[in-house]
């Protein structure tokens, strides 16, 4: 079970640095106001709280230029 039971988690293998993480965080938070996003380039994981719309979240990450997969 995911340790963030109230969060959706995605894996983004091409998130390699803090800049990438910031870009992904901004893209999701801009597209889904009210969400909080934690992006960790070391683990390649992005945790999203405040939305359960996985399809839209993946689309926002893809539009930002990254490749999301299920964690």
């Amino acid at each position: 079970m995911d340790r963030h039971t109230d969060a959706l988690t995605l894996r983004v293998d091409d998130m390699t640095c803090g800049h990438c993480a910031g870009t992904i965080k901004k893209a999701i938070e801009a597209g889904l106001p009210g969400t909080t996003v934690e992006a960790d380039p070391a683990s390649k994981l992005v945790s999203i709280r405040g939305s359960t719309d996985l399809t839209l979240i993946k689309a926002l990450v893809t539009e930002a230029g990254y490749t999301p997969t299920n964690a």
Side-chain angles (χ1 to χ4, degrees), residues 13-67:
D13 284 321
D14 47 3
M15 174 177 60
T16 57
C17 66
H19 180 263
C20 299
T23 301
I24 291 168
K25 178 177 168 65
K26 283 183 197 153
I28 297 169
E29 289 177 348
L32 286 165
T35 56
T36 54
V37 179
E38 291 176 33
D40 179 21
S43 67
K44 309 290 189 196
L45 296 178
V46 179
S47 295
I48 304 97
R49 286 186 179 82
S51 176
T52 56
D53 191 341
L54 190 58
T55 303
L56 178 56
I57 291 166
K58 282 185 172 182
L60 292 167
V61 174
T62 300
E63 280 176 28
Y66 299 91
T67 311

Side-chain angles (χ1 to χ4, degrees), residues 2-4 7-11 45-48 54 69-71:
D2 184 35
R3 62 189 163 91
H4 297 296
L8 287 176
T9 303
L10 290 177
R11 184 170 179 87
L45 296 178
V46 179
S47 295
I48 304 97
L54 190 58
T69 57
N70 292 335

